[in-house]
Amino acid sequence: MKERILLVEDDPNILRTNRRILEREGFEVLCAASLHETRALLAEAKPDALVLDIRLPDGRGLAFCEEIRP
């Protein structure tokens, strides 16, 4: 079973490039372009890792990390 990464990036070019790289390395990649999308994906999928942009259109990635950190 492939390890699953949730990639959060609002720049479509960076998202596409990073997704391709991670998929070539054998990861299953879920993508989101906002914190709203990220919350929805986290509710339904259990990724093994989260790669998070610091600045997103609907909030700051570091604040989100503090929010979800146990």
Side-chain angles (χ1 to χ4, degrees):
M1 186 163 124
K2 290 184 177 183
E3 293 175 323
R4 182 180 296 164
I5 294 177
L6 175 50
L7 177 59
V8 184
E9 173 59 62
D10 62 324
D11 182 309
N13 293 322
I14 295 172
L15 180 69
R16 186 174 37 255
T17 300
N18 288 339
R19 180 181 195 162
R20 285 184 194 153
I21 291 167
L22 291 167
E23 287 176 340
R24 265 189 292 190
E25 291 299 319
F27 295 100
E28 177 184 349
V29 182
L30 305 173
C31 295
S34 68
L35 293 178
H36 178 78
E37 290 177 20
T38 302
R39 285 184 180 94
L41 282 170
L42 285 174
E44 65 184 54
K46 301 295 181 204
D48 298 298
L50 176 64
V51 178
L52 184 62
D53 190 356
I54 293 175
R55 292 184 187 163
L56 292 160
D58 57 347
R60 301 204 33 94
L62 292 176
F64 181 72
C65 282
E66 291 176 4
E67 176 186 320
I68 64 170
R69 190 173 173 186

